[in-house]
Amino acid sequence: MGLLRFLRRYNYPVKAKIGNTVYSVQYIQSRGFRKAELVNDDNPVLPVLIIGAGPVGLVLSILLTKLGIKCAVLERNKTFSKHPQAHFINNRSMEIFRKIDGLVDEIQRSQSPVDLWRKFVYCTSLSGPVLGTVDHIQPQDLEHVVSPVSIAHFSQHKLTTLLLKQLENLGFHICTSETLEGNVQLQEKKIMMGHECISINAEDDFVTVTTSFFNKGKLEQLNVHCNILVGTDGASSTVRRLLGIEMRGEKDLQKLVSVHFLSKGLGQYLLKEKPGMLFFIFNTEAIGVLVGHDLRQGEFVLQVPFYPPQQAIEDFTSKACEKLISKLVGREVGDIDVIDIKPWVMHAEVAEKFICSGNRILLAGDAAHRFPPAGGFGMNTGIQDAHNLAWKIASVIKGITAPSILTSYEIERRPIAMFNTALSLQNFRAAMAVPAALGLDPTIANSVHRLINNGIGSILPLGLQKVTLDGIFAIGRAQLSESVLNESNPLGSSRLAKLRRIFEEGKSLQLQFPAEDIGFRYLQGAIMPYSNYTDSTPPVPTGRRRDYIPSSHPGSRLPHIYMRVNPLSEEAVSTLDLVSGDKVEFLLIIAPVKESYHLAHAALKVAEELRVCLRVCVIWSDGSVKGQGSKTRLSPWENYVDVVEVKRSSSPSWWDMCNMTNRGAILVRPDEHIGWRTSSGLAGDPTVEMRRVFHAVLGIN
């Protein structure tokens, strides 16, 4: 009975209003929802409900919709934030975006040229001496050697706008309290703004979410029923709190104030004098990090340390922020327009679990993990969560596999989140090495603050605490004066030399981590581990940039190399492009070898038995496809493609890069990660082996 109840959560019968016909979720999903077909308490039961309309929730809704899964989104805010927030999109996220029609082209067309943001600049003021610069772009980053797409510097609010445009093209509608009419119901392809999740009930055969919202000025409630609920509602996730899921890690690493402002004058000055992405500014009057979100448009975010209760957010008025910005610039700036001022707290934490309530409720993005903003791991890790999750949810809803496959989401993604947490912490501490070299150790500043809050300073009146704290910090900043920080001063000369060594040895804050961004690997989960590969120990984060080394081991992302689908065409596509983004389809990569064709026949037969979509890719390395290619060899199967390797003089061949012979084979999952491989053919029955492989990857017992 327990097993039957578990399965009914995803395949339960629901009576229609007309007659006594009973439909399964899969049947209704294939036909689309209609009120007359699926009704419970006068509300439709959605296959998937997403709470949180940030980039992760929006990307997940796009990926699910492209895979044919009905979903809707609830967002507690009434409008989308214009605060730039995250701005670095790494290679892997850009690769995922290539599966979303035209999104990468839009980002690349809209972002600033790379020469305007490739550097981090360290200075005493934006108009004063430069202490050092670090260029974070290497030639291979732009040559598409390891990835078919480059990284991007593109602000989150602009990305949100492009994602919403994609959703509108897919038929989604944004609903606000002003657009609500009559009896409110949540239907698929709706983004409901201003809806606060207040309770979650997963005791029935579906999940019930209760939300509160204003309808024509009146506070109302709405019950929404769904098969699967995904919480993508940010670092202060309501879904996570209602489920009682704890975060584990380091809390309250640093409190900061984020000041979003516009200044075309400052933007034009920096374009001419010292273009960059981040500006680390240390002088006797102020310390801060300026993020150049768009120098051409003059859009910036200033991050400054925040020490409450001696400092209050009310102290950061627009006028006070303008003065602070001028101190960091080193001169008056006439056209500063402060848009927004927000306090925030830096954490390095991962949720103790990503999935609960019988695989029906899942967390993704910042709801599941929150990192220091060092290396841009937050949004990127979340986007990759969504990519990992989309095909698995689609497989369950479509009846391809059992709900148990969703457990592999946590098994695969939580170790990646923990690794990225450790890496971002190392990178954050590397960032702190620069002020420490200048005599401004941030750990000492935080210790002083704690002493005033909890130690002997706590007996003082708050006003006197503030004066004391400001005085101590002013004494510390005095070490940044020109009389101290110069080559003629022995102390200053020593500190500047130490600073140069930090930059030269790559020990400062890093932007890119190719080995981790592209080379992360799932050691367990929806994979068939390679029997001859025994290294199951996760790599140790170094905090330094490491080059990506292609790997075809199960759990790795499929290596990128260019192929020609039509041998006569000059157009080349990436191996990643051979994996569909519009259906749950596996890809079997083989060479045109007799034994591999036998394996392909077995794989196609097993896939058909299991109702799994499988495409065979035959890689020819001799520059041309012989005769009719694989047509006669794979007949009667038609779901295959012949491709020809694009040779590059300095690059290894496909099978050499994969460290395999051409009698090997690779099974690629719908998320472009390798589910199984054999490096040099099979000794046993290929049908038995492929049945074992698909059962392992799909979680079928």
Side-chain angles (χ1 to χ4, degrees):
M1 290 297 292
L3 178 61
L4 288 174
R5 181 177 177 81
F6 181 80
L7 293 174
R8 284 183 67 237
R9 291 171 181 167
Y10 294 91
N11 191 22
Y12 63 94
V14 183
K15 288 188 176 180
K17 276 188 171 181
I18 302 173
N20 295 316
T21 306
V22 177
Y23 300 92
S24 71
V25 168
Q26 286 90 343
Y27 176 73
I28 294 169
Q29 171 66 35
S30 66
R31 294 182 59 185
F33 287 115
R34 298 178 189 172
K35 289 183 180 180
E37 290 178 341
L38 185 57
V39 176
N40 190 291
D41 297 332
D42 296 323
N43 276 325
V45 178
L46 287 166
V48 183
L49 175 64
I50 299 165
I51 296 184
V56 176
L58 297 179
V59 167
L60 179 59
S61 61
I62 292 170
L63 296 177
L64 286 173
T65 302
K66 286 174 66 65
L67 292 174
I69 301 303
K70 306 293 185 183
C71 61
V73 185
L74 294 177
E75 168 57 45
R76 63 185 167 211
N77 293 310
K78 295 180 180 179
T79 59
F80 290 97
S81 173
K82 295 297 183 183
H83 202 92
Q85 296 175 287
H87 57 95
F88 174 63
I89 308 176
N90 69 21
N91 277 116
R92 187 62 188 131
S93 294
M94 288 293 281
E95 289 174 355
I96 294 168
F97 287 169
R98 292 175 81 244
K99 299 297 184 183
I100 300 176
D101 304 331
L103 180 57
V104 164
D105 291 338
E106 288 266 19
I107 291 171
Q108 292 176 331
R109 186 163 49 246
S110 302
Q111 73 169 345
S112 299
V114 67
D115 285 344
L116 302 184
W117 52 264
R118 62 192 297 162
K119 295 180 180 178
F120 290 176
V121 179
Y122 297 80
C123 55
T124 56
S125 73
L126 293 178
S127 58
V130 171
L131 300 171
T133 62
V134 179
D135 188 343
H136 291 281
I137 303 296
Q138 296 184 6
Q140 63 266 34
D141 298 332
L142 305 175
E143 293 171 358
H144 298 169
V145 174
V146 300
S147 175
V149 64
S150 301
I151 61 172
H153 172 44
F154 195 67
S155 303
Q156 182 173 319
H157 68 299
K158 296 179 181 178
L159 176 61
T160 297
T161 299
L162 295 185
L163 294 174
L164 290 172
K165 180 181 175 182
Q166 289 284 336
L167 285 165
E168 289 173 4
N169 292 339
L170 291 170
F172 274 71
H173 298 280
I174 300 173
C175 301
T176 64
S177 58
E178 289 76 18
T179 60
L180 295 176
E181 295 180 3
N183 184 31
V184 178
Q185 287 189 349
L186 182 62
Q187 301 172 339
E188 74 263 10
K189 296 191 176 182
K190 298 286 187 184
I191 303 175
M192 306 289 282
M193 306 297 293
H195 280 250
E196 178 85 24
C197 174
I198 58 176
S199 72
I200 299 172
N201 186 334
E203 294 179 358
D204 297 318
D205 290 328
F206 45 79
V207 179
T208 300
V209 174
T210 302
T211 72
S212 64
F213 64 99
F214 282 95
N215 186 6
K216 298 180 180 178
K218 181 182 177 182
L219 185 64
E220 297 185 7
Q221 291 187 1
L222 173 68
N223 288 331
V224 182
H225 308 304
C226 62
N227 298 125
I228 296 174
L229 171 66
V230 186
T232 60
D233 51 339
S236 57
S237 170
T238 300
V239 174
R240 188 185 66 231
R241 176 178 56 80
L242 291 173
L243 296 173
I245 297 175
E246 297 291 331
M247 300 292 282
R248 305 293 183 195
E250 297 189 36
K251 297 180 183 290
D252 299 338
L253 292 168
Q254 181 74 61
K255 294 180 175 66
L256 299 107
V257 170
S258 178
V259 183
H260 178 206
F261 70 95
L262 302 176
S263 173
K264 284 200 171 182
L266 179 58
Q268 292 303 310
Y269 170 77
L270 292 174
L271 282 174
K272 181 181 178 181
E273 299 294 332
K274 46 177 78 89
M277 177 192 287
L278 298 184
F279 301 85
F280 299 83
I281 311 161
F282 310 95
N283 64 43
T284 57
E285 294 189 274
I287 292 172
V289 179
L290 186 70
V291 185
H293 279 270
D294 191 332
L295 298 186
R296 294 180 301 180
Q297 297 298 318
E299 184 169 30
F300 300 92
V301 168
L302 173 64
Q303 306 279 6
V304 293
F306 180 43
Y307 297 96
Q310 294 79 21
Q311 295 177 348
I313 192 61
E314 291 77 19
D315 298 336
F316 290 84
T317 62
S318 293
K319 285 293 183 184
C321 290
E322 288 175 19
K323 290 182 180 179
L324 179 60
I325 293 165
S326 294
K327 290 177 181 178
L328 293 169
V329 173
R331 58 180 175 81
E332 290 294 324
V333 182
D335 66 340
I336 297 174
D337 180 12
V338 176
I339 306 298
D340 195 12
I341 303 165
K342 285 184 176 181
W344 63 283
V345 183
M346 186 187 301
H347 304 284
E349 298 179 301
V350 177
E352 59 185 0
K353 55 184 177 180
F354 287 15
I355 185 168
C356 65
S357 301
N359 295 359
R360 292 178 293 166
I361 305 178
L362 306 103
L363 300 177
D366 286 355
H369 40 71
R370 46 194 188 186
F371 314 133
F377 291 101
M379 183 177 71
N380 288 294
T381 305
I383 288 166
Q384 292 148 31
D385 288 343
H387 193 224
N388 180 285
L389 195 51
W391 76 272
K392 296 175 182 177
I393 289 177
S395 296
V396 172
I397 297 296
K398 288 176 175 289
I400 295 171
T401 189
S404 57
I405 194 175
L406 294 176
T407 61
S408 70
Y409 165 66
E410 179 178 305
I411 291 170
E412 292 177 354
R413 293 304 301 168
R414 191 168 185 275
I416 300 300
M418 294 178 70
F419 181 90
N420 287 351
T421 300
L423 188 54
S424 64
L425 262 175
Q426 286 188 342
N427 206 25
F428 168 66
R429 286 168 181 150
M432 297 300 101
V434 171
L438 296 173
L440 297 173
D441 191 335
T443 60
I444 295 177
N446 289 334
S447 296
V448 169
H449 185 227
R450 283 193 298 270
L451 186 63
I452 291 177
N453 279 342
N454 306 316
I456 190 170
S458 61
I459 64 175
L460 300 174
L462 187 60
L464 191 52
Q465 290 181 30
K466 177 177 174 57
V467 170
T468 302
L469 189 67
D470 289 346
I472 293 172
F473 287 170
I475 292 172
R477 291 195 303 270
Q479 300 177 82
L480 300 169
S481 66
E482 290 183 14
S483 61
V484 175
L485 202 61
N486 67 77
E487 295 292 353
S488 300
N489 184 303
L491 178 60
S493 177
S494 173
R495 287 175 173 174
L496 290 172
K498 185 176 181 180
L499 195 60
R500 284 193 295 272
R501 286 195 300 273
I502 289 173
F503 295 146
E504 290 167 0
E505 295 172 7
K507 293 182 179 179
S508 61
L509 178 71
Q510 298 296 298
L511 176 65
Q512 289 201 76
F513 295 88
E516 289 80 11
D517 291 344
I518 307 174
F520 66 87
R521 182 168 64 92
Y522 303 134
L523 299 177
Q524 297 178 349
I527 63 173
M528 173 66 79
Y530 183 46
S531 59
N532 294 335
Y533 191 71
T534 57
D535 181 12
S536 59
T537 305
V540 177
T542 65
R544 311 281 184 87
R545 174 179 172 135
R546 298 185 304 162
D547 289 336
Y548 161 73
I549 300 174
S551 170
S552 63
H553 291 301
S556 300
R557 163 267 208 185
L558 179 69
H560 153 74
I561 195 170
Y562 283 111
M563 304 279 179
R564 286 195 180 93
V565 176
N566 180 351
L568 300 178
S569 171
E570 291 300 315
E571 183 180 0
V573 301
S574 169
T575 44
L576 299 174
D577 297 328
L578 301 172
V579 182
S580 175
D582 298 323
K583 54 185 172 181
V584 180
E585 181 180 69
F586 288 80
L587 182 73
L588 181 67
I589 299 177
I590 62 172
V593 177
K594 180 180 178 181
E595 295 85 354
S596 296
Y597 282 124
H598 289 163
L599 174 64
H601 272 271
L604 288 162
K605 179 182 177 182
V606 171
E608 185 178 61
E609 291 172 359
L610 297 174
R611 294 188 299 145
V612 175
C613 188
L614 174 67
R615 187 187 195 197
V616 176
C617 172
V618 185
I619 295 181
W620 298 71
S621 60
D622 59 1
S624 64
V625 178
K626 297 177 182 178
Q628 291 185 309
S630 300
K631 183 175 181 179
T632 56
R633 292 297 191 99
L634 290 176
S635 179
W637 311 103
E638 296 182 353
N639 195 20
Y640 71 91
V641 59
D642 285 305
V643 301
V644 178
E645 217 176 307
V646 175
K647 292 289 187 181
R648 290 194 176 188
S649 57
S650 59
S651 300
S653 70
W654 167 255
W655 297 110
D656 287 341
M657 182 176 67
C658 292
N659 196 25
M660 298 166 62
T661 73
N662 67 349
R663 282 171 171 71
I666 298 172
L667 182 69
V668 188
R669 306 186 324 188
D671 62 353
E672 300 166 2
H673 280 258
I674 295 169
W676 165 86
R677 84 164 193 178
T678 177
S679 60
S680 57
L682 295 178
D685 185 333
T687 301
V688 172
E689 176 65 9
M690 294 315 300
R691 189 172 287 118
R692 190 171 72 96
V693 167
F694 275 109
H695 278 236
V697 174
L698 292 170
I700 300 173
N701 296 325

